[in-house]
Amino acid sequence: MLTLNLDLIAFMPCNPSIGGPAKGVVVREIDALGGQMGKTIDQTHIQMRLLNTSKGPAVRALRAQADKVLYQQDMKKVIENQENLTLRQGMVDELIVEDGVVKGVLTETKAAYYAPTVIVTTGTFMRGKVLIGDIEYESGPNNQRATVKLSKQLEELGFDIVRFKTGTPPRVNSHTIDYSKTEIQPGDEEPRAFSYETTEFITDQIPCWLTYTGEFTHQIINENLSRSAMYSGAERGTGPRYCPSIEDKIVRFNDKPRHQIFLEPEGRNTEEVYVQGLSTSLPEDIQKRLLETVPGLEKAEMMRAGYAIEYDAIVPTQLWPTLETKKIDGLFTAGQINGTSGYEEAAGQGIMAGINAAAKALGKESLILDRSQAYIGVLIDDLVTKGTNEPYRLLTSRAEYRLLLRHDNADLRLTDIGYEYGLIPEERYGRFTKKKELIDAEVKRLKSHIIKPNQEVQKMIEELGGSPLKDGVRASDLLRRPEVKYDHIKQLVPNEVDLPSDVEEQVEIIVKYEGYIEKSMQQVDKMRKMENKRIPDHIDYDDIQGIATEAKEKLKKVRPLSVGQASRISGVNPSDVSILLVYIEQGLRSKASNE
């Protein structure tokens, strides 16, 4: 592992938090595959909350506020102690490429490192440029050095490069905040964790605080838009739509009288507070004036100014679903270089690129997660099939099978895969198989046990506001009623085995949503039939009569591996897919008759 600065491994230059809708599920998926992110945030967070608890299980998600220093230190320690991993500090200037195959990398000090596969994870550092008002200078985030030569070489190798941007807000001194004018946002009292291996929980949590922009904030921004790097024309990069700057919010949502601002402590041993929601590229004097208009921040001391950073990324349709590049054999890319935003999206790509680069080096089969298996599968399929014209952020709405892709069942979906690739230890896998057995046994028990309408049962149902039983019902059928919880069933039909809480949670969800889950699985089966229709490697789309010109261009560019992937390419219509299917079937029949 080569990195610019050993002291900034896993450093969070933007929001010091992990998780949230969709993103939190990705962290659990990484953990189920054997990754580290969940373990480290569990050990170093200052606050943990389960979001959307009043809604269904498909949109619930964990979010942790990180101690950014402890998170970085813990992750560095894990890497330093990882067997078979060599850690080096250095600036990679050049890829060593011979006959279209990557052979290694060359650093600025001319040290050469050779390897059968290489993963490039440059984040926002490629030709990074910081912009504050009319000031701009070459830099990576947090005043680190930018990577310049590597970006130029990728262009020379024939990669299409795009220019994206992201931003960060000011940080202020906690001692200068008047918290009496803000609303407290405490963590959950119930212990929670991202990793399925975590058994010890942090109970000493630190609150975040909520405040709002107001009329004067908006007035100052409108009066100074010409001084913003975003609106002055200095910034060529495209920003993330779902994490806009405060200037962008004011312009796009000018009907809103105020916007939320969260004050998020950056750690236990620092007074720096991240002003979430006030991301900006306005000059420092304007940033100071903006802070003074926000309740609680009237006298806040700005410790670091907000800034925008512009950087290079590659067009992700140049990647296979394994995250190996189509142009250079053995070269993989992961993270913001692929056009995403967010630590979680980067980590999800990182573990998949790591698995596939290692599998290629070892001569093993590569791993591609489909859209029904994981949010990571949705993320990568979206990138390599559809591409992105702005920094991509994972959202629950992007997943058509989100009832299957819940934060509570990531281990049930992916642990077997992690074990197969040697990333899950035997002890952990044994606990996992025991959990599955307990879930199956309890669901079976509830489906076979009849609850009779005796006085105790009718009284409980009446107290819950439900209609009384007329006849005996299976315990599973009673649990499907919206007012009935597993705890109620447990009182009526006690289990001889004391089940862990995560097993009880799974049993309740499986039983309550059985019909919906079954319907989703039927849709998955239909989708898999399309995914199993492989497209021949050397297909000539120009030979296919009837396919629209735009569809041919898109198919030649993306080179989908399956008919299912082809159907998701923007510009490829159902009629084009039908013609493609017929062409493939005719080819297969012709090949069979010749043989």
Side-chain angles (χ1 to χ4, degrees):
M1 179 183 285
L2 277 161
T3 183
L4 277 170
N5 188 337
L6 289 179
D7 297 324
L8 292 173
I9 286 172
F11 180 79
M12 297 180 178
C14 199
N15 190 354
S17 70
I18 296 289
K23 293 168 174 274
V25 184
V26 169
V27 180
R28 284 210 145 188
E29 291 174 350
I30 292 164
D31 184 75
L33 288 168
Q36 181 62 30
M37 186 180 234
K39 299 182 188 71
T40 293
I41 190 62
D42 285 350
Q43 294 163 14
T44 60
H45 68 266
I46 61 175
Q47 184 191 104
M48 184 83 75
R49 296 180 73 184
L50 182 63
L51 308 179
N52 299 327
T53 53
S54 62
K55 299 179 181 178
V59 292
R60 291 175 198 157
L62 274 178
R63 183 183 186 276
Q65 199 64 35
D67 185 315
K68 65 189 300 179
V69 174
L70 291 181
Y71 183 91
Q72 182 266 320
Q73 290 173 345
D74 185 85
M75 194 66 85
K76 184 187 178 192
K77 184 178 179 181
V78 168
I79 292 169
E80 289 172 338
N81 290 295
Q82 173 62 49
E83 189 179 355
N84 297 325
L85 179 62
T86 301
L87 182 62
R88 291 280 189 278
Q89 180 169 293
M91 165 81 81
V92 173
D93 272 355
E94 187 180 332
L95 299 168
I96 302 170
V97 179
E98 297 174 7
D99 300 322
V101 180
V102 74
K103 299 294 183 180
V105 299
L106 191 68
T107 69
E108 66 177 350
T109 58
K110 305 307 177 187
Y113 295 85
Y114 294 92
T117 55
V118 171
I119 310 168
V120 179
T121 58
T122 48
T124 61
F125 285 79
M126 284 216 304
R127 282 203 291 228
K129 183 183 286 185
V130 165
L131 303 108
I132 307 175
D134 58 359
I135 305 296
E136 61 177 68
Y137 54 90
E138 194 176 272
S139 176
N142 206 52
N143 288 324
Q144 296 185 72
R145 295 172 64 199
T147 303
V148 178
K149 291 184 179 180
L150 186 61
S151 186
K152 290 179 180 177
Q153 188 199 16
L154 288 172
E155 285 184 312
E156 291 167 1
L157 289 169
F159 285 95
D160 292 331
I161 302 291
V162 291
R163 197 79 172 148
F164 281 163
K165 75 99 190 171
T166 188
T168 187
R171 274 73 156 180
V172 298
N173 190 318
S174 178
H175 287 311
T176 61
I177 298 172
D178 184 352
Y179 288 107
S180 68
K181 296 181 179 179
T182 66
E183 302 169 30
I184 192 168
Q185 304 284 298
D188 291 346
E189 291 185 11
E190 182 180 341
R192 302 188 191 278
F194 278 102
S195 176
Y196 291 93
E197 292 193 70
T198 297
T199 55
E200 295 183 8
F201 301 90
I202 293 173
T203 55
D204 176 23
Q205 299 193 71
I206 297 175
C208 296
W209 306 83
L210 172 64
T211 184
Y212 297 89
T213 62
E215 179 186 348
F216 294 114
T217 324
H218 301 195
Q219 182 180 329
I220 292 170
I221 290 170
N222 283 319
E223 289 172 354
N224 291 277
L225 279 174
S226 61
R227 300 186 68 190
S228 165
M230 176 174 290
Y231 285 92
S232 66
E235 206 165 351
R236 296 170 296 280
T238 305
R241 183 187 311 183
Y242 301 103
C243 189
S245 69
I246 189 64
E247 299 100 286
D248 204 19
K249 286 182 192 174
I250 300 307
V251 172
R252 284 167 53 193
F253 309 108
N254 56 19
D255 58 319
K256 291 188 177 293
R258 64 180 191 171
H259 294 277
Q260 288 184 328
I261 300 292
F262 289 96
L263 306 177
E264 301 173 338
E266 295 214 328
R268 296 180 186 277
N269 298 308
T270 177
E271 296 304 322
E272 283 192 75
V273 174
Y274 186 91
V275 187
Q276 166 75 338
L278 208 67
S279 178
T280 182
S281 58
L282 284 161
E284 288 189 51
D285 61 318
I286 304 301
Q287 292 188 36
K288 187 175 184 300
R289 287 177 60 196
L290 288 181
L291 290 171
E292 291 169 356
T293 67
V294 177
L297 302 182
E298 294 91 345
K299 298 181 180 179
E301 176 190 318
M302 186 168 69
M303 298 176 72
R304 301 186 201 222
Y307 61 89
I309 185 166
E310 189 182 72
Y311 58 94
D312 284 352
I314 68 166
V315 175
T317 52
Q318 300 169 105
L319 307 173
W320 298 113
T322 59
L323 296 181
E324 184 177 14
T325 65
K326 295 172 182 175
K327 292 184 182 294
I328 306 296
D329 189 71
L331 178 65
F332 295 74
T333 58
Q336 284 177 278
I337 188 176
N338 290 344
T340 58
S341 66
Y343 312 128
E344 303 85 356
E345 288 91 338
Q349 293 172 72
I351 194 167
M352 296 303 295
I355 288 170
N356 285 319
K360 187 178 180 78
L362 296 168
K364 294 187 175 183
E365 188 177 347
S366 57
L367 174 62
I368 298 173
L369 298 175
D370 68 43
R371 299 179 71 90
S372 68
Q373 286 179 293
Y375 268 101
I376 294 174
V378 173
L379 162 69
I380 293 174
D381 183 65
D382 278 355
L383 289 174
V384 304
T385 304
K386 302 173 183 177
T388 180
N389 56 11
E390 63 189 22
Y392 176 102
R393 179 179 179 178
L394 200 55
L395 306 166
T396 54
S397 58
R398 297 193 194 272
E400 57 270 58
Y401 307 113
R402 56 186 172 273
L403 182 56
L404 304 178
L405 309 181
R406 307 184 307 273
H407 90 105
D408 59 82
N409 71 349
D411 60 336
L412 300 175
R413 291 184 276 117
L414 299 175
T415 303
D416 281 322
I417 295 172
Y419 180 71
E420 180 187 341
Y421 279 84
L423 301 172
I424 300 294
E426 288 289 343
E427 182 188 358
R428 176 175 175 180
Y429 191 67
R431 293 198 308 271
F432 167 71
T433 52
K434 178 65 176 176
K435 176 181 175 178
K436 283 203 299 186
E437 289 168 4
L438 290 172
I439 292 168
D440 293 343
E442 181 62 356
V443 170
K444 187 177 179 181
R445 184 180 81 92
L446 296 184
K447 286 186 173 182
S448 62
H449 198 290
I450 302 297
I451 295 178
K452 296 178 180 178
N454 58 35
Q455 187 176 354
E456 178 194 1
V457 171
Q458 301 289 40
K459 183 182 178 185
M460 177 180 284
I461 292 173
E462 183 184 347
E463 289 173 352
L464 293 173
S467 55
L469 297 181
K470 295 179 181 177
D471 297 301
V473 297
R474 289 184 299 179
S476 56
D477 290 337
L478 186 60
L479 181 53
R480 286 195 186 97
R481 291 189 176 193
E483 72 273 9
V484 179
K485 307 294 181 189
Y486 179 80
D487 283 343
H488 302 130
I489 298 295
K490 196 164 58 172
Q491 293 175 40
L492 299 176
V493 285
N495 193 339
E496 295 177 3
V497 180
D498 190 18
L499 298 176
S501 59
D502 59 339
V503 171
E504 292 183 350
E505 179 185 39
Q506 279 305 302
V507 169
E508 181 166 336
I509 290 171
I510 289 169
V511 171
K512 271 191 180 298
Y513 295 91
E514 185 177 36
Y516 298 102
I517 292 171
E518 202 171 293
K519 191 174 180 181
S520 291
M521 290 307 299
Q522 290 170 358
Q523 293 172 339
V524 169
D525 289 340
K526 288 181 183 177
M527 181 267 288
R528 288 234 169 99
K529 288 176 183 176
M530 295 278 276
E531 299 299 327
N532 291 335
K533 289 275 185 186
R534 307 296 288 181
I535 297 175
D537 291 339
H538 303 295
I539 191 169
D540 187 349
Y541 290 105
D542 288 326
D543 277 352
I544 308 176
Q545 300 298 317
I547 288 184
T549 303
E550 182 189 3
K552 282 184 181 181
E553 290 174 359
K554 294 290 182 69
L555 288 165
K556 284 190 287 187
K557 185 177 180 180
V558 176
R559 292 156 65 193
L561 299 178
S562 69
V563 175
Q565 187 185 1
S567 70
R568 294 190 294 276
I569 298 172
S570 176
V572 177
N573 297 316
S575 59
D576 301 316
V577 174
S578 298
I579 295 168
L580 177 61
L581 271 169
V582 170
Y583 181 85
I584 293 170
E585 288 296 329
Q586 286 176 343
L588 291 173
R589 282 198 294 268
S590 175
K591 183 180 177 183
S593 63
N594 291 336
E595 290 175 351

